[in-house]
Amino acid sequence: EEFKMRRKTWSFGLFLLLLLSVVLAACNAETTDEPTTDNTDTETDGNSESDKEESPQVLVFGRGGDSVSLDPAIVTDGESFKVTQNLFETLLNFGEKDTSIHPGLAESWEISEDNLQYTFKLQQGVKFHDGTDFNAEAVVKNVDRWKAGTEEQFYYFNSMFKAEGEDIITEVIAEDEHTVIFKLSRPQAPFLKNLAMSPFGIASPTAFEAAGDTFGDTPVGTGPFKFVDWKRSDSITIEKFEDYWQDGLPKLERIIFRYIQDNSARLNELMAGSIDLADGINPSDGASIESNSELQLIERPSMNIGYLGLTNTRPPFDNKLVRQAVNHAIDKQAIVDAFFEGRAQVAVNPMPPSISGYNDEITGYDYNPEKAKELLAEAGYDGAEIELWAMPVARPYMPDGMKVAEVIQKNLEDVGIPSKIVTYDWAVYLEKTKDGEADAFMLGWTGDNGDADNFIYTLLDKDNIGSNNYAYYSNDKVHELLIAAQTETDENARIDLYKQAQEIIHDDAPWAPLAHSTPLLAGKSTVKGYQPHPTGSEVLSNVSIE
C-alpha cells in the first residue's frame, strides 16, 4: 500500500511538473514572439509611406530605365547621367534652364588670344565624398584617365576632344593647387560647352585608382549627393553629402531613382502616392494630369530629334533617290498629330530650331506619295522588302515606337516599298544598329550641350560612323564644313558653315527627320524647385518637398 501510495504521489507530481513545463513553454513562446513582431529590424529603402512620413525630404523619382553605370566617363545613356549629375560636378555648369556657361568646380577662367590655352581657377575647400581634397592635381588625373582609355571605354572624351585622329587636348597642367591649365592643339569653338557635359564630371582619383573597372559600381564625386545603394533593375539610392561645399544645399535628404519600365504603370504609381516624380509621361495623359490638383505637369524644354535612319551602305538606301522617296512617303504631320498630342513639331533638319546655326530656309520634304513613286522609278527600285526596325522603348523623342513604325510601314507600302517590322531588346537594338545591320531604323537624340556640333558632327559626320552615326552617312564636303566649324571661333562664321552643311545633308537625305518633341514629366504638387533641363538630366540640389 505504501509503495502504491508513493507511486501515486510520484505520478501526481510528475503530472504537475509536466503541466508546469507546458505552461512555461507557452509563456516563453508568447514572450519571444512579442519582441519578434514589434522590434524586427526591417530594412527600408524609403519607398514606403511610413518611411516617407518619418523623412519628408525623401524624393522617389520614377523613370523608364535603369542606369548602365554610375561612372559618367564611360556611359552614353541618359538614365545613367540622370543619377551621375547629382554625384559628380564638372568644371563648368550649364544654366538652370539652358546651355549657357556658368562657374562650376572652376570659379573663373581665362582664354588666350590664340584660343589654344584655357586657365581655370578652381573653387577652394571642396571635398570628394571619400574625404579627399578636390584640387588641380585631381583634374589632371581625371583628364589623364580619359586620354589613356580607348574609344570604347571613354566614348564621349574621344568624340568631343579628338578629330581626324588628333588629340585636341594636348596637355593639362596643375600650375598650383587651385589653378589648372588646358593646352589645345587647335581652337575648338564649343570647348567650354563640352567641358560642362555630364561625361566630364570630376571623380575622386583615390577612388577610381583603387576601384579600377568597378568604379561605376561605387562612384565618388564632389556632388551634392553621395552614392548609397544600387539594386539592379530596381532602384538607386543617393543621400545628402553633409560636407558639400555650397551652403544650404542640397535640400533633400535622400533620392531614390526607381526603375518602372511602363509609362502607364509609372503614372499609376505617382497617382497612388508611391513615387513623387515621374518622367516619360505619355502625351495622351497630359490633360488628365493638368486637371488633377494633387499633381503637376512639367514640360522639359525641347532640344531633341526623333528620326528614321536609313543605312546608307545597305541597298536600297545606298541610292539617294530612294532615301528622298522615303522622305516624301512619310506623313510626318500625321505622326505628330497622332502620337505627340500637339507637344512636338515636324522635323526638317537634323537638329532642333532652338540650336544656333539652324537653317530655317530649308523646306522640308512634303508628304507627296506620287513624288515618292516617281523617285523610286527613277532609282530603278525593284520592290524588294526591307526591314523596318521599331524602337522597343519609349523615349522623349519617340513616345510609342511600335505604333509610329506601323504608320511608317503603311506609308511605305502605299508607294511600293514593302517592309517587315523588326525589334530587339534596347541594348541589342542599339548594338546591331551601330554595327550597320538595319535597313531602316528608328532612333533619336537629346542634345548634350546645346551646340550644333553635338548634333550634326556627332550624328552625321564620317568620323563617327560606327558610334553615333548609325546611318553610316559619309560626305567629304560635309566633313570639311564641320571640322572648319569646330575650329572657327567667330559665331557668325560658324552659323554659316552649319547652314551650308544642312543644305547638303538635306539633299543627301541620310535620314527621314520626324519630330522635335516637348518631353513630359509629372510630379506631386508638393514637389518644389524642380527645373527640367533641356539636356534631359539635372542637378536636384534645389528640389524640396513641402
Side-chain angles (χ1 to χ4, degrees):
E1 288 287 326
E2 184 178 347
F3 172 75
K4 289 179 181 179
M5 181 63 74
R6 280 201 301 269
R7 190 172 65 180
K8 288 179 180 177
T9 303
W10 179 83
S11 299
F12 183 71
L14 180 60
F15 170 76
L16 288 176
L17 183 61
L18 289 170
L19 180 62
L20 180 61
S21 298
V22 171
V23 171
L24 286 173
C27 291
N28 186 54
E30 288 179 8
T31 55
T32 53
D33 280 350
E34 284 277 320
T36 302
T37 303
D38 293 344
N39 300 324
T40 301
D41 184 18
T42 304
E43 182 181 345
T44 178
D45 63 2
N47 290 347
S48 70
E49 287 300 315
S50 60
D51 181 70
K52 293 186 69 180
E53 286 172 10
E54 292 170 12
S55 181
Q57 291 306 308
V58 173
L59 179 85
V60 183
F61 193 135
R63 58 195 186 133
D66 197 7
S67 300
V68 173
S69 170
L70 297 182
D71 178 355
I74 71 170
V75 295
T76 61
D77 66 298
E79 294 303 344
S80 294
F81 293 136
K82 194 171 292 176
V83 180
T84 63
Q85 275 279 86
N86 294 279
L87 302 174
F88 297 87
E89 294 175 295
T90 43
L91 292 178
L92 302 171
N93 289 335
F94 293 129
E96 275 196 353
K97 300 179 180 179
D98 55 33
T99 54
S100 57
I101 295 297
H102 300 264
L105 287 175
E107 63 181 16
S108 63
W109 55 95
E110 293 180 359
I111 308 172
S112 63
E113 286 189 16
D114 60 5
N115 293 288
L116 295 178
Q117 181 168 302
Y118 290 72
T119 302
F120 296 92
K121 290 292 183 183
L122 305 180
Q123 304 282 358
Q124 299 187 29
V126 178
K127 294 280 188 183
F128 288 105
H129 302 153
D130 58 8
T132 59
D133 292 329
F134 162 77
N135 52 32
E137 190 59 37
V139 176
V140 171
K141 287 185 176 181
N142 272 266
V143 180
D144 285 348
R145 178 189 181 225
W146 303 332
K147 290 184 73 172
T150 64
E151 183 175 339
E152 289 73 26
Q153 283 177 298
F154 301 122
Y155 164 74
Y156 261 112
F157 182 81
N158 284 278
S159 177
M160 297 294 106
F161 297 116
K162 284 189 178 182
E164 300 181 303
E166 175 188 17
D167 282 327
I168 294 173
I169 299 175
T170 58
E171 192 176 9
V172 184
I173 303 166
E175 186 175 66
D176 58 46
E177 189 175 2
H178 301 294
T179 308
V180 65
I181 298 171
F182 283 71
K183 293 188 175 183
L184 309 186
S185 61
R186 61 179 176 83
Q188 187 186 56
F191 181 71
L192 295 177
K193 285 194 170 188
N194 288 347
L195 282 184
M197 288 165 49
S198 296
F200 307 121
I202 304 298
S204 162
T206 302
F208 68 66
E209 287 170 359
D213 292 341
T214 64
F215 179 68
D217 298 330
T218 54
V220 180
T222 63
F225 297 91
K226 64 180 183 179
F227 174 75
V228 175
D229 180 56
W230 187 356
K231 297 182 177 70
R232 302 277 176 169
S233 299
D234 179 23
S235 64
I236 294 175
T237 302
I238 62 178
E239 69 181 13
K240 180 178 183 178
F241 178 41
E242 296 294 346
D243 292 327
Y244 185 54
W245 60 280
Q246 295 196 53
D247 292 339
L249 297 176
K251 297 176 182 178
L252 293 166
E253 295 294 328
R254 186 188 300 176
I255 303 174
I256 298 150
F257 294 91
R258 280 190 55 203
Y259 169 41
I260 306 167
Q261 183 176 13
D262 183 71
N263 287 3
S264 297
R266 206 175 314 121
L267 177 58
N268 289 339
E269 291 222 29
L270 177 67
M271 297 177 74
S274 56
I275 63 176
D276 304 292
L277 196 60
D279 66 5
I281 296 298
N282 292 323
S284 57
D285 291 322
S288 64
I289 294 166
E290 286 178 311
S291 65
N292 188 332
S293 62
E294 296 183 355
L295 300 178
Q296 55 180 313
L297 185 68
I298 303 164
E299 291 187 343
R300 186 181 297 283
S302 179
M303 194 172 72
N304 61 39
I305 174 114
Y307 64 87
L308 177 72
L310 307 169
T311 305
N312 289 205
T313 53
R314 293 175 68 92
F317 301 121
D318 54 350
N319 187 320
K320 179 174 74 172
L321 296 176
V322 176
R323 299 195 299 267
Q324 291 177 339
V326 169
N327 272 272
H328 279 299
I330 297 174
D331 190 346
K332 301 173 186 178
Q333 188 64 56
I335 289 172
V336 167
D337 292 344
F339 302 109
F340 291 87
E341 300 284 328
R343 299 181 192 272
Q345 65 182 98
V346 170
V348 173
N349 294 319
M351 67 183 198
S354 60
I355 301 293
S356 178
Y358 180 86
N359 192 334
D360 56 9
E361 294 180 5
I362 293 175
T363 302
Y365 290 92
D366 63 326
Y367 174 54
N368 190 335
E370 293 307 313
K371 178 65 175 176
K373 292 175 183 177
E374 291 173 13
L375 288 167
L376 290 174
E378 185 181 347
Y381 173 60
D382 61 3
E385 183 181 69
I386 66 161
E387 286 189 349
L388 173 60
W389 289 25
M391 287 183 63
V393 296
R395 302 303 296 155
Y397 44 76
M398 195 65 61
D400 196 328
M402 186 58 71
K403 288 183 179 178
V404 173
E406 290 169 357
V407 172
I408 293 174
Q409 182 184 44
K410 179 63 167 62
N411 287 161
L412 295 180
E413 182 185 336
D414 288 345
V415 299
I417 303 177
S419 65
K420 174 186 176 183
I421 293 179
V422 173
T423 194
Y424 299 91
D425 289 338
W426 183 226
V428 176
Y429 183 95
L430 289 175
E431 189 65 27
K432 284 180 169 290
T433 309
K434 184 176 74 172
D435 291 342
E437 295 181 25
D439 294 331
F441 57 91
M442 295 168 61
L443 264 181
W445 183 257
T446 297
D448 294 296
N449 63 10
D451 195 272
D453 178 77
N454 184 243
F455 278 88
I456 305 181
Y457 175 76
T458 299
L459 301 177
L460 288 169
D461 190 81
K462 67 179 185 179
D463 279 352
N464 291 314
I465 288 174
S467 55
N468 279 315
N469 182 350
Y470 292 87
Y472 281 64
Y473 171 64
S474 178
N475 183 296
D476 290 340
K477 180 59 177 177
V478 168
H479 176 72
E480 181 183 314
L481 290 166
L482 296 181
I483 295 299
Q486 283 184 345
T487 56
E488 177 58 67
T489 54
D490 179 86
E491 185 62 17
N492 288 330
R494 288 190 81 215
I495 287 172
D496 183 60
L497 291 167
Y498 285 123
K499 286 186 174 182
Q500 291 180 54
Q502 287 166 79
E503 289 173 1
I504 298 170
I505 292 167
H506 178 262
D507 182 63
D508 283 344
W511 299 347
L514 298 176
H516 306 295
S517 73
T518 299
L520 298 180
L521 304 94
K524 291 180 180 177
S525 58
T526 53
V527 175
K528 305 297 181 183
Y530 176 73
Q531 190 68 250
H533 200 266
T535 59
S537 55
E538 49 277 320
V539 182
L540 301 175
S541 54
N542 276 307
V543 174
S544 61
I545 299 177
E546 290 187 357

